[in-house]
Amino acid sequence: MLLTEPEIQQVLNQAKAAFPNLTDWEYNNEKNGEYFGFSMWGEFVLNPQELMPRRFFITLDTYENKWQGCLTIGQHSYLWSSADVGDAHLLDTEPHPLRRLKPA
């Protein structure tokens, strides 16, 4: 599922409000070899003053008419993310039905 630009801004604002300690929100809004459609993620850095701080990500993905959330460490979640390359999934939600956004 792809979103319109107003919908993207609306969901980014909702995510920032829901997760105020996450920063550097980014998104993908195309179907390609790494994403099924719209996906967005924010980052939380634990102890940023450390030489190699731990980076946690919350990723919210769409697939067909469902969305799913993932908590990962190392990098955000995408189709080819793997613990073999320095990241790991810590927690995933079950897929939930999507509702179209109401105009803000």
Side-chain angles (χ1 to χ4, degrees), residues 22-95:
L22 274 66
T23 61
D24 299 329
W25 284 93
E26 297 183 45
Y27 68 91
N28 174 80
N29 194 37
E30 65 179 297
K31 294 179 183 179
N32 56 38
E34 296 179 351
Y35 302 96
F36 288 123
F38 182 78
S39 179
M40 67 181 193
W41 55 94
E43 177 182 20
F44 175 77
V45 180
L46 185 64
N47 299 322
Q49 69 281 4
E50 289 183 358
L51 181 60
M52 295 183 70
R54 286 186 236 160
R55 298 178 183 282
F56 295 88
F57 295 84
I58 290 179
T59 305
L60 302 167
D61 289 307
T62 61
Y63 177 67
E64 295 179 351
N65 289 324
K66 296 187 178 183
W67 70 269
Q68 182 172 7
C70 299
L71 173 64
T72 57
I73 188 169
Q75 63 183 15
H76 71 279
S77 177
Y78 63 101
L79 288 177
W80 305 112
S81 56
S82 164
D84 293 338
V85 292
D87 66 318
H89 280 82
L90 302 174
L91 180 67
D92 295 327
T93 67
E94 294 295 320

